[in-house]
Structures are given as C-alpha cells and as structure tokens.
Amino acid sequence: MTEVLPSSDNAGDDDADREAVEQERAKLREFVAGLSADDIKSGGWFTKLCTQALRSYAEKATWEYFQQKYQGVPADGIVGQQIKLAAKNAMIEGGITSSLYNGTIVATIGSLGGASPATVPAGVVTFMVDLTYITQLQMRLAYDIAVIYRIPLDVDDPEDMMKLVRVALGIKAGEVARGSLKFVPGLVRQVLKKYYSGPVLAAAKSLPFVGKHLLQRNIIKFGIPGVGIPLTILVNRYTTLAAGRYAKSVFRDEAEVIELADTLIRRTQHLRLMLWVAWLVINADGKITDAERLLFQRLTRLARERHQVDDEQLANVVNIDPDDVWHRIDAEPGDLSDLVYAAERVAAVDGDLNTHEKTVIAELRDRCQRR
C-alpha cells in the first residue's frame, strides 16, 4: 500500500522523509485548488478535509498494520514512535512552507474578503497547503493512537468524528461538561456548546467553526517579521507533539478502562450480580463520569457477547435502589469476594474513592463477610 504514515526515523532517511512530505503537499495542493474562497472563509474546508483525510486513511491505518510494522513492541512504544515521527514530518513541512513565503503573505489572507466566492488568491494557496497538511497530520496522528490502543472510532459516525476532532485539538471532555471553557478559543467554544447541547448530528454542522479557528491560529505563525521560518518549524513541531501527547493520555486512559472491564468479566463468578453492584457503585455519588460510563458500557457489552447475559431489568432501572441490590446479595449463596473486588475496582476507575463510594463498598463487604 502507499505509505501515508510517518515513514522513518533514521538520519539517512531525511531525503526520503522530505520527499514523502512533498508528495503529501502535492496532494493537498490539489485539494486546496478545489476550494472556493467561501470554503476557506466559512471554515467549510475543514469539513471537506475531514472526509478526505480520514475515510481512505482509516482503511489502511489498522491495528494489524501497526502490529506488523512494529512487531513485538508494546502499544506505548508504538505510540511514542508515531508521535516522534509525526513531529519530525511537521518540522520538515514547516521548513518547506516557510521557504515559499514572502513578507506580504499574511496580507494576502485579507484579500479573501474581496475575492470572488469561486476563486482563491494565489498567495493563499501556499498558506492553505500548510494549514491542511498540519491539520491532517494531527488528525491522523490522533486516529493512529486510538487504533494502536484499540479504541474503536467510526469516521462515518458524527459522534466519533467530533471526539477525534476534540482530542486532536487538545480539548478536554470534562471542560465541556463543567462549562469551564475559558482557556479554549472562542470559536471552539461555540462548536462544543452547540454539539453538546444538541443532537449528535449537530457535530457535522459544527465542523466549519473549527475550520475558522484553525485558519486564525495558522496566521500567527507568519505574522512576526524576520522569524517566519524558525517560528513555523517550531510551532508545527510543538502543536503536533501536544496533539499526540494529549491523544495518548485520552486514548490510553480509555484503553485501561476497557482492559479493566475485560478483567472484571473474567474474574467474576456472579456476572449478572456483578453488573448490579457495579451500577450501584457508579451511582453512589449521584453523578457518572466518562470513565464510569465507558466502563459500564464495556461490561454490559462483554457480558452480552461472551456470556449471552443481557439483563433487561437492570437496563430499565431509572433510579437504582440499594435495598434491591442488598436483597440480591443476601439471596446469593457462596463466596462473594469477587463482588467486593469488582466494586473496589469500579469505584477507583475515575480516581480516588469518595465518601459515598466507600460507604457502599463497606456495606457490600460487611454483607459478603457475614456469609
């Protein structure tokens, strides 16, 4: 297959790396040539790039591909290498782009305002090739990291696509839930608020706002006279490293949750009852975190797929009644220590145990020890 992933990390391969970057830039130049001035001004270019950058790529960047390329290397090692290679390519591209600029390039961006809706000023093309290259590189890097940690993402699903965009831009999911977005650029705040307050399909409509934000961010790299080349190279490297490291933290945490779910399913001798206990612990403090939600979704999925356990009664619960769970515990014979273990692991999935979780676990332990 055509090599679309970062290619190498050996000093002797610098020419090959540069050639690969040049080839990708040539493809993106064709992409940019198909954009209108309105596409760029409105941010619509980003929506189109997401479609081009990820659909065909997702077919090639599979877990099997990385396993074959890095045989015997654990996931953390592969991710570290991908981040390093992506940052290297970002620096190469920054050097190429900067060498093509002159002192008036930033001013040409302003010419979009008076441009025909169907035309793009020639000077803007080079700017947009740089912008689309770095955006595509960071989106693909985030996708790579998800794949390596075996986090399923469907690029045709608006919810998964928005998640990938959020991670690639380094926006923490919790910031949205708490409303503490003061450090996130204004345009990104708009897209996130719109997405999280409306239906999932609104995510697709929100992508142009992200495009506007990225357009503005990219201008900064070329707005300081005399330092264009080194600044562009360093900014490309920094933003790519930041994107990769954040994607690693997000998807690695999810991988740990998924791994925990697999462990709990394998270790329990009381699968159906364990699900009730897990849901009781998760609801102990009256709020459900992303990690807890992911864990329970994974537990129910594995229970269904591996053991054909699909508890409709639990699925229909609105407010879980602790007494109902205790009644189920008291009616179960034998050693129930696996339930205590599961409860402790579930409670710790999102950090230190709080008072409510400790209370539930203490009650559970007491009932199980009385047997």
Side-chain angles (χ1 to χ4, degrees):
M1 77 178 186
T2 302
E3 180 61 68
V4 293
L5 305 172
S7 57
S8 65
D9 190 38
N10 298 320
D13 290 329
D14 285 348
D15 289 343
D17 289 338
R18 184 182 177 89
E19 182 179 354
V21 171
E22 290 277 22
Q23 290 176 354
E24 198 60 45
R25 280 175 50 86
K27 294 177 185 177
L28 289 169
R29 182 172 289 275
E30 292 182 12
F31 169 77
V32 171
L35 298 175
S36 67
D38 277 352
D39 287 332
I40 297 175
K41 287 185 293 183
S42 69
W45 66 270
F46 182 69
T47 307
K48 294 183 177 182
L49 181 68
C50 286
T51 300
Q52 171 175 301
L54 292 173
R55 275 221 177 91
S56 59
Y57 185 79
E59 297 175 0
K60 302 172 183 177
T62 63
W63 184 79
E64 290 78 13
Y65 167 82
F66 289 109
Q67 286 296 299
Q68 183 177 4
K69 183 177 179 180
Y70 299 101
Q71 290 185 12
V73 180
D76 284 350
I78 299 175
V79 167
Q81 185 71 357
Q82 289 300 110
I83 294 173
K84 185 176 181 180
L85 296 178
K88 179 181 180 181
N89 283 1
M91 292 177 67
I92 292 172
E93 195 282 333
I96 294 172
T97 296
S98 296
S99 67
L100 300 175
Y101 274 91
N102 56 48
T104 62
I105 187 61
V106 176
T108 68
I109 304 301
S111 66
L112 280 173
S116 163
T119 62
V120 177
V124 178
V125 173
T126 300
F127 174 90
M128 286 302 299
V129 170
D130 172 70
L131 175 56
T132 54
Y133 181 94
I134 294 301
T135 301
Q136 175 177 273
L137 180 69
Q138 293 174 3
M139 290 281 289
R140 287 179 171 179
L141 176 61
Y143 183 82
D144 288 347
I145 293 171
V147 169
I148 293 166
Y149 283 123
R150 309 199 76 168
I151 304 299
L153 290 178
D154 181 355
V155 297
D156 291 319
D157 184 325
E159 188 171 12
D160 281 359
M161 178 60 104
M162 192 58 196
K163 177 180 180 179
L164 184 62
V165 169
R166 173 179 60 77
V167 172
L169 290 177
I171 301 167
K172 298 178 177 62
E175 290 177 334
V176 179
R178 294 192 302 270
S180 57
L181 292 169
K182 59 184 178 179
F183 298 114
V184 180
L187 288 169
V188 180
R189 284 202 299 272
Q190 292 178 34
V191 59
L192 290 173
K193 287 179 179 178
K194 180 176 180 180
Y195 170 65
Y196 280 94
S197 62
V200 169
L201 291 178
K205 298 178 182 178
S206 301
L207 290 177
F209 289 97
V210 180
K212 286 183 179 181
H213 158 65
L214 294 173
L215 185 73
Q216 294 178 354
R217 186 179 75 174
N218 211 50
I219 293 175
I220 296 173
K221 294 191 296 188
F222 308 100
I224 305 177
V227 295
I229 292 179
L231 182 63
T232 302
I233 293 173
L234 290 176
V235 169
N236 281 6
R237 178 179 183 274
Y238 173 79
T239 58
T240 301
L241 285 174
R245 288 167 180 168
Y246 182 61
K248 177 181 179 180
S249 71
V250 170
F251 292 128
R252 192 181 193 282
D253 285 350
E254 289 194 14
E256 289 181 348
V257 172
I258 291 173
E259 186 175 68
L260 172 59
D262 181 75
T263 298
L264 296 181
I265 291 291
R266 285 188 290 103
R267 289 193 55 163
T268 188
Q269 300 298 315
H270 308 86
L271 181 53
R272 193 179 297 270
L273 189 52
M274 187 268 285
L275 295 176
W276 282 88
V277 168
W279 192 237
L280 178 63
V281 172
I282 288 171
N283 284 272
D285 56 4
K287 58 184 179 180
I288 302 175
T289 65
D290 288 342
E292 290 173 332
R293 184 177 294 106
L294 174 62
L295 174 60
F296 198 74
Q297 287 174 343
R298 191 70 177 184
L299 285 172
T300 55
R301 175 182 170 183
L302 292 177
R304 183 171 58 253
E305 292 178 351
R306 294 184 184 177
H307 304 282
Q308 294 73 53
V309 171
D310 193 356
D311 195 324
E312 292 186 11
Q313 188 175 0
L314 177 57
N316 290 328
V317 167
V318 176
N319 294 313
I320 190 165
D321 182 359
D323 288 336
D324 184 20
V325 180
W326 301 144
H327 177 74
R328 293 169 184 270
I329 294 289
D330 294 341
E332 188 72 24
D335 180 11
L336 300 182
S337 59
D338 58 306
L339 296 179
V340 177
Y341 170 80
E344 292 172 340
R345 296 297 304 273
V346 169
V349 74
D350 57 351
D352 294 336
L353 277 62
N354 57 50
T355 301
H356 301 287
E357 292 167 338
K358 290 178 180 178
T359 299
V360 169
I361 293 173
E363 177 71 16
L364 174 65
R365 184 181 294 110
D366 181 61
R367 288 177 179 273
C368 291
Q369 288 177 346
R370 272 188 265 153
R371 316 185 66 74

